[in-house]
C-alpha cells in the first residue's frame, strides 16, 4: 500500500534470523549482513545470492524451507564463476526446478539431518565446479541434469526415486554412489568416473509402456576404477557398448531385459564374469549374446549363420542344456534303428518299385563317397554308408554338446 523499503532496515542490521516467514519477493541481495532462513516458505521464484551465514546449530543458510517455484543462481559473467562459500539447504522441499550455472561450490549444497523423504521437481547443475561432497539422499526427484560440471569430492545419491537422470560431459573425481536408487530413464554421455562407482541395488527402467523404449545408457563413459552393478535390475535394457573401463564391472545377481539390450553389452557382461572366474554366471550371458547374434543374422539376412545358430539353440540352448542333446541322441538312436530295420527288410524298395533303379544308382554313388571319408570309413554299415555317416556326425555333435553343457554348468 505504500513505498516503504524494508531493505533499508535490513542493511542497518548485522544479522537477521527469518523464522516461519513467507516471502513473495524474488531475491534478497544485501551485502555485509548475515542471514538464516528457518522454516520459511517462498511463494515466487527465488534467486539465491551469496549471503553471509548467521551462525546457527547446523550452520545452514536455508533450513526446513519450502520453495514453491524455481530456485536458481548463476554467474552473469561469461568468464568468471560465482562462488558459494556457505552450506545451502537442509531438509528443504522444492516443488519446482533448482538450477545452478557457472557456480563454484566451496561448501555442500545439501546437508539433510534425517531420513525423511523430501521432493525436488528438477535439479540442474551446469558449467559448475563442486568442491565439497554432493549428498542428496531420500528424495523424490522428477529430473536430474548435470552438464559440463566437475565434482571434486564424493557424489552420493542414495535411496532416491528419480524419474529421469541425464549426466553429460561431467567429471566425477571422487567416489560416486547411487545405492538403492530407482531411475526410469538414465543417460550418461561423455562422462569420466575416476574412483569407485556404485549402482548396487538400483532399478533402471520400468514396465510402463510410455517408457518402454528408454534404456539405461552409458555412452562414451570412462570408468577408471571399479564399477558395481550388483543386485541391479535393468527393466528397460542396458547399453554399455561404448564404455571404457580398466576393471571389469560387477553384475552379480543382476537382471537385464534381453529384448532392449544389444549384443556388445551382453559380451561385456559375460567377459566381466569370465575375468573374475565366475564362468557359470558368464555362460548365462553368453546365451543372451548368442540370441542377439541370431537376431542380427535375421536382420542382415545371413542365412548360414541363422541356420547354424538355430540348430545350436534347439539342440543345446547354446551349450547350456545337457538334457537337449541327450534327448536328441535318444531320438537319433531310435530313428537309426528303424532305418536299419527298413534297410534289412528292403522296405524302401517296396514303396516305389518303379524307382528302384534310380534309387540303387544314387545310393551306390553316395555310399561310395561316404565309404572313403576318414575316420568313419571303417565303422560305417555296409550298404548304407552315407546314412550311417550322417548319423555318426549327428551322434558326435550331440556328444560334444552334452560334454560342453556339463562343463559350462560345473566348471570351476
Amino acid at each position: 500500500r505504500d513505498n516503504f523499503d524494508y531493505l533499508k532496515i535490513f542493511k542497518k542490521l548485522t544479522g537477521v534470523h527469518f523464522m516461519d516467514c513467507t516471502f513473495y519477493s524474488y531475491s534478497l541481495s544485501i551485502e555485509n549482513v548475515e542471514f538464516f532462513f528457518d522454516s520459511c516458505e517462498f511463494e515466487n521464484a527465488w534467486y539465491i545470492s551469496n549471503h553471509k551465514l548467521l551462525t546457527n546449530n547446523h550452520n545452514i543458510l536455508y533450513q526446513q524451507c519450502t520453495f514453491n517455484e524455481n530456485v536458481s543462481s548463476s554467474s552473469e559473467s561469461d568468464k568468471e564463476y560465482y562462488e558459494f562459500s556457505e552450506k545451502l539447504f537442509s531438509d528443504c522441499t522444492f516443488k519446482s526446478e533448482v538450477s545452478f550455472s557457472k557456480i563454484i561450490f566451496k561448501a555442500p549444497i545439501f546437508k539433510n539431518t534425517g531420513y525423511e523423504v523430501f521432493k525436488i521437481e528438477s535439479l540442474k547443475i551446469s558449467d559448475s565446479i563442486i568442491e565439497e561432497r554432493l549428498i542428496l539422499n531420500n528424495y523424490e526427484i522428477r529430473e536430474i541434469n548435470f552438464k559440463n560440471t566437475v565434482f571434486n569430492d564424493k557424489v552420493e545419491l542414495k535411496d532416491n526415486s528419480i524419474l529421469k537422470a541425464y549426466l553429460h560431459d561431467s567429471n566425477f573425481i571422487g567416489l560416486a554412489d547411487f545405492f538403492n536408487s530407482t531411475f526410469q530413464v538414465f543417460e550418461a554421455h561423455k562422462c569420466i568416473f575416476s574412483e569407485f562407482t556404485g549402482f548396487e541395488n538400483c532399478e533402471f527402467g520400468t514396465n510402463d509402456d510410455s517408457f518402454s523404449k528408454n534404456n539405461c545408457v552409458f555412452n562414451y563413459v570412462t570408468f577408471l576404477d571399479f564399477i558395481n552393478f550388483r543386485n541391479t535390475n535393468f527393466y528397460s535394457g542396458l547399453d554399455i557398448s561404448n564404455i571404457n573401463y580398466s576393471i571389469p564391472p560387477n553384475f552379480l545377481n543382476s537382471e537385464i531385459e534381453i529384448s532392449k539390450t544389444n549384443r556388445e553389452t551382453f559380451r561385456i557382461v559375460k567377459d566381466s564374469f569370465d575375468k573374475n572366474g565366475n564362468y557359470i554366471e558368464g555362460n548365462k550371458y553368453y546365451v543372451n549374446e548368442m540370441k542377439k547374434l541370431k537376431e542380427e543374422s535375421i536382420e542382415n539376412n545371413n542365412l548360414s549363420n541363422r541356420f547354424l545358430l538355430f540348430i545350436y539353440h534347439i539342440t543345446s540352448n547354446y551349450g547350456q542344456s545337457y538334457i537337449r542333446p541327450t534327448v536328441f541322441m535318444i531320438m537319433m538312436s531310435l530313428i537309426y534303428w528303424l532305418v536299419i530295420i527298413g534297410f534289412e527288410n528292403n522296405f524302401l524298395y517296396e514303396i516305389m518299385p518303379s524307382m528302384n533303379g534310380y534309387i540303387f544308382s544314387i545310393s551306390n554313388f553316395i555310399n561310395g563317397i561316404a565309404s572313403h571319408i576318414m575316420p568313419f570309413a571303417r565303422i560305417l554299415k555296409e550298404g548304407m554308408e552315407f546314412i550311417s555317416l550322417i548319423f555318426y556326425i549327428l551322434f558326435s555333435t550331440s556328444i560334444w554338446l552334452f560334454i560342453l553343457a556339463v562343463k559350462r554348468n560345473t566348471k570351476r
Side-chain angles (χ1 to χ4, degrees):
R1 294 178 301 177
D2 52 43
N3 296 323
F4 179 73
D5 186 0
Y6 57 86
L7 293 179
K8 292 181 179 180
I9 295 179
F10 292 150
K11 290 178 181 179
K12 297 181 180 294
L13 304 176
T14 57
V16 182
H17 178 185
F18 292 104
M19 176 177 255
D20 296 317
C21 296
T22 301
F23 289 84
Y24 293 91
S25 58
Y26 296 94
S27 66
L28 189 62
S29 180
I30 304 176
E31 297 181 357
N32 302 319
V33 179
E34 297 177 347
F35 288 99
F36 174 41
F37 300 88
D38 184 5
S39 303
C40 296
E41 186 165 359
F42 299 83
E43 295 292 344
N44 295 320
W46 183 254
Y47 183 85
I48 298 179
S49 299
N50 190 12
H51 295 301
K52 291 185 177 181
L53 178 65
L54 180 66
T55 302
N56 56 79
N57 290 338
H58 301 289
N59 287 325
I60 291 292
L61 193 59
Y62 298 89
Q63 178 176 283
Q64 296 180 334
C65 294
T66 300
F67 299 88
N68 293 319
E69 296 295 336
N70 293 345
V71 179
S72 65
S73 187
S74 62
S75 172
E76 298 179 357
S77 172
D78 294 334
K79 297 181 179 180
E80 295 183 0
Y81 285 81
Y82 200 25
E83 291 189 3
F84 280 167
S85 55
E86 306 293 352
K87 301 172 187 176
L88 289 182
F89 306 112
S90 176
D91 300 336
C92 293
T93 297
F94 305 88
K95 296 184 179 180
S96 192
E97 179 179 292
V98 180
S99 62
F100 299 101
S101 178
K102 300 198 71 175
I103 307 290
I104 297 178
F105 294 92
K106 294 185 175 294
I109 303 174
F110 303 94
K111 190 176 181 180
N112 295 341
T113 58
Y115 293 95
E116 184 179 352
V117 176
F118 295 96
K119 293 184 179 181
I120 296 180
E121 182 68 15
S122 176
L123 174 61
K124 297 182 179 180
I125 303 177
S126 62
D127 303 299
S128 298
I129 299 174
I130 317 296
E131 298 286 359
E132 295 291 333
R133 291 186 173 190
L134 175 63
I135 299 179
L136 187 64
N137 301 328
N138 299 290
Y139 265 86
E140 293 180 5
I141 307 173
R142 182 170 181 82
E143 180 179 338
I144 281 182
N145 195 320
F146 298 151
K147 184 177 181 181
N148 295 324
T149 296
V150 178
F151 300 87
N152 285 320
D153 207 329
K154 180 179 180 180
V155 174
E156 183 177 305
L157 300 174
K158 300 194 301 186
D159 301 304
N160 291 318
S161 176
I162 302 172
L163 186 66
K164 300 177 182 180
Y166 302 102
L167 315 180
H168 287 245
D169 300 288
S170 296
N171 293 343
F172 296 80
I173 307 301
L175 182 149
D177 190 0
F178 302 87
F179 177 82
N180 202 39
S181 292
T182 62
F183 306 86
Q184 290 194 9
V185 178
F186 186 95
E187 294 182 10
H189 182 72
K190 290 185 177 179
C191 294
I192 298 176
F193 293 84
S194 298
E195 293 190 12
F196 171 85
T197 306
F199 292 95
E200 185 170 353
N201 280 22
C202 288
E203 294 184 358
F204 294 90
T206 176
N207 294 323
D208 188 348
D209 291 338
S210 62
F211 292 97
S212 61
K213 295 182 180 180
N214 292 299
N215 292 356
C216 171
V217 179
F218 293 84
N219 196 25
Y220 302 109
V221 176
T222 298
F223 296 93
L224 301 178
D225 206 326
F226 185 66
I227 325 157
N228 186 15
F229 289 105
R230 186 168 52 196
N231 300 318
T232 297
N233 292 320
F234 300 90
Y235 297 115
S236 296
L238 172 66
D239 186 355
I240 55 173
S241 57
N242 291 317
I243 69 168
N244 303 300
Y245 57 91
S246 57
I247 301 175
N250 181 9
F251 283 92
L252 186 63
N253 297 327
S254 293
E255 298 292 334
I256 304 175
E257 169 60 34
I258 298 176
S259 62
K260 300 180 181 68
T261 304
N262 56 50
R263 179 167 64 92
E264 177 62 13
T265 294
F266 283 125
R267 187 201 66 77
I268 292 173
V269 177
K270 176 204 68 177
D271 184 64
S272 70
F273 283 111
D274 290 345
K275 288 183 177 179
N276 288 319
N278 192 345
Y279 299 105
I280 294 176
E281 196 70 23
N283 290 333
K284 296 179 182 179
Y285 287 95
Y286 169 76
V287 173
N288 295 335
E289 181 186 359
M290 290 297 100
K291 289 179 179 179
K292 304 307 290 189
L293 179 60
K294 181 182 176 182
E295 292 179 6
E296 292 177 6
S297 299
I298 295 174
E299 293 175 0
N300 298 329
N301 200 25
N302 191 330
L303 297 179
S304 59
N305 277 357
R306 183 177 175 182
F307 175 76
L308 180 62
L309 292 168
F310 172 76
I311 297 299
Y312 193 17
H313 175 227
I314 64 172
T315 54
S316 67
N317 191 27
Y318 304 108
Q320 284 295 104
S321 173
Y322 53 83
I323 296 177
R324 290 190 187 185
T326 302
V327 173
F328 191 69
M329 282 189 287
I330 295 173
M331 293 175 57
M332 290 299 101
S333 299
L334 179 61
I335 295 173
Y336 187 49
W337 175 61
L338 294 175
V339 170
I340 291 176
I341 293 176
F343 172 76
E344 292 177 347
N345 292 276
N346 292 321
F347 289 152
L348 179 62
Y349 293 99
E350 294 177 1
I351 297 175
M352 298 181 67
S354 60
M355 300 294 293
N356 286 347
Y358 295 104
I359 295 174
F360 184 76
S361 300
I362 294 173
S363 63
N364 279 343
F365 176 74
I366 59 178
N367 285 337
I369 296 174
S371 62
H372 290 84
I373 297 178
M374 300 296 290
F376 298 102
R378 291 180 295 178
I379 60 176
L380 299 179
K381 184 174 179 59
E382 185 178 355
M384 49 182 297
E385 288 85 355
F386 181 76
I387 294 178
S388 298
L389 176 64
I390 298 299
F391 276 94
Y392 278 127
I393 293 174
L394 293 175
F395 282 130
S396 300
T397 303
S398 298
I399 292 172
W400 177 78
L401 290 173
F402 175 83
I403 295 173
L404 178 65
V406 171
K407 289 178 64 178
R408 286 185 173 175
N409 283 276
T410 59
K411 187 174 181 179
R412 294 185 63 187

